[in-house]
Amino acid sequence: MNLLELIAPTPDVADELLRFETDNRAFFETRINSRPPGFYSHEGVGAAIALAEREAAEDKGYQFLVRTVAGELVGRVNLIGVKRAHFQMAELGYRMAESACGRGYASEAVRLVLAKAFGELGLMRVEANARVGNGGSVKVLLRNGFRQFGHSLRSFELGGVWHDRLHFERHAD
């Protein structure tokens, strides 16, 4: 039984998505670079949803909101940079609300998006990156069958500090 469901962002969830992003902004910005200030508005979120819909229609990327079966928005999971010819791959990204951490939601959301990636989307490979020191993300990836294939030095800047990144891949079964 799934604890979660994935839904594509649509204009009718813009207010809820804005609340989610605003409520978790400080938490997210300790892990990833901040979004432009204009994102945190009805217009900014609306534009982001329109872009997500356009990218899905053009088979360039797929964004999903992560909901509990009770309907609570607890995260986001994305497949970006879809490359079709000769590759059939995309890059995975995800973020969970601070209140949702430690409940297994990230692992479940990644499992669900991989099923979509390797099923209906027909991808053969998904890549992911984790900052060295982000043990939670590394565990999520390993639980979902990813294997590390690289380690880049000082390749990600966050808050003026350069960090190493670990590179992972997962292939369709």
Side-chain angles (χ1 to χ4, degrees):
M1 181 176 110
N2 292 336
L3 302 171
L4 303 173
E5 62 181 349
L6 304 181
I7 61 162
T10 56
D12 61 316
V13 298
D15 289 340
E16 182 182 18
L17 182 55
L18 177 58
R19 243 183 345 272
F20 170 82
E21 292 289 350
T22 302
D23 290 350
N24 290 283
R25 183 178 184 176
F27 176 68
F28 292 153
E29 289 178 0
T30 64
R31 289 156 175 75
I32 58 173
N33 285 301
S34 60
R35 295 180 184 269
F39 174 82
Y40 296 97
S41 67
H42 291 287
E43 297 79 17
V45 167
I49 290 171
L51 177 62
E53 290 178 320
R54 190 168 52 255
E55 286 181 345
E58 296 171 357
D59 192 34
K60 292 181 178 176
Y62 297 89
Q63 296 186 30
F64 300 97
L65 304 181
V66 180
R67 288 195 185 281
T68 66
V69 291
E72 178 187 3
L73 178 58
V74 294
R76 300 182 69 171
V77 61
N78 309 309
L79 295 166
I80 63 170
V82 173
K83 293 180 187 175
R84 288 295 181 179
H86 313 293
F87 294 99
Q88 302 299 333
M89 60 88 61
E91 186 174 332
L92 170 72
Y94 56 90
R95 60 173 76 188
M96 294 294 126
E98 184 173 18
S99 64
C101 291
R103 297 184 183 182
Y105 290 159
S107 291
E108 177 73 2
V110 168
R111 184 186 70 76
L112 291 171
V113 83
L114 288 174
K116 284 185 179 292
F118 298 138
E120 67 189 76
L121 297 177
L123 297 175
M124 297 303 296
R125 183 170 183 262
V126 174
E127 292 184 359
N129 297 298
R131 184 169 38 94
V132 169
N134 187 346
S137 275
V138 170
K139 285 180 187 176
V140 166
L141 296 172
L142 294 175
R143 282 184 193 130
N144 277 284
F146 282 82
R147 72 168 191 84
Q148 184 179 337
F149 71 89
H151 180 149
S152 57
L153 303 176
R154 299 188 61 209
S155 61
F156 173 71
E157 185 267 329
L158 177 63
V161 177
W162 285 93
H163 299 272
D164 291 5
R165 285 187 306 156
L166 303 175
H167 305 280
F168 294 85
E169 65 183 353
R170 165 81 194 271
H171 294 264
D173 295 329

